């Protein structure tokens, strides 16, 4: 996605009524985010090989992305030739002072 991309017209998407007035454009469609998340999972599985994966989620803002990424990793892990052990943990970081 280029920095100068102007986004997509909101009329191309199903926008909930309560967001219509607040939303001007859609910069990154949900499907593109899902596709890139799956691609990232594939890259992680390829890069890690048969090594143990330690997944660390930064709470609270990263949880949804983390859960989606882990779902893709788990699916690839179950359908692959070898099962790679995965450890999941969470860390909470305080905001800037």
């Amino acid at each position: 996605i280029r920095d100068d991309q102007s986004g997509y017209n909101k009329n191309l998407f199903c926008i909930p009524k309560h967001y219509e007035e607040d939303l001007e454009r859609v910069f990154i469609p949900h499907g593109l985010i899902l596709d890139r998340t799956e691609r990232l999972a594939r890259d992680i599985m390829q890069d890690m090989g048969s090594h143990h994966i330690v997944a660390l989620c930064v709470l609270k803002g990263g949880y949804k992305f983390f859960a989606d990424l882990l779902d893709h990793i788990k699916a690839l892990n179950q359908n692959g030739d070898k099962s790679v052990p995965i450890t999941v943990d969470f860390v909470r970081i305080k905001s800037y002072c």
Side-chain angles (χ1 to χ4, degrees), residues 10 13 15-16 19-27:
K10 70 178 182 180
F13 302 92
I15 307 294
Y19 289 128
E20 282 181 347
E21 295 301 317
D22 298 323
L23 189 65
E24 185 177 317
R25 302 190 71 70
V26 173
F27 287 101

Side-chain angles (χ1 to χ4, degrees), residues 2 11 17 21-22 26-27 33 39 43 46 59 61 67 75 83 90-91 93-94:
R2 298 183 325 266
N11 295 329
K17 291 263 186 227
E21 295 301 317
D22 298 323
V26 173
F27 287 101
I33 293 170
R39 180 59 199 201
D43 290 346
Q46 183 177 9
L59 295 174
S83 181
F90 300 87
V91 63
I93 299 174
K94 290 192 175 198

Side-chain angles (χ1 to χ4, degrees), residues 11-52:
N11 295 329
L12 298 172
F13 302 92
C14 297
I15 307 294
K17 291 263 186 227
H18 57 280
Y19 289 128
E20 282 181 347
E21 295 301 317
D22 298 323
L23 189 65
E24 185 177 317
R25 302 190 71 70
V26 173
F27 287 101
I28 305 173
H30 182 66
L32 181 58
I33 293 170
L34 290 177
D35 181 69
R36 298 295 167 90
T37 304
E38 182 177 357
R39 180 59 199 201
L40 181 58
R42 289 178 185 274
D43 290 346
I44 289 169
M45 289 298 290
Q46 183 177 9
D47 291 347
M48 293 303 294
S50 60
H51 295 288
H52 182 150

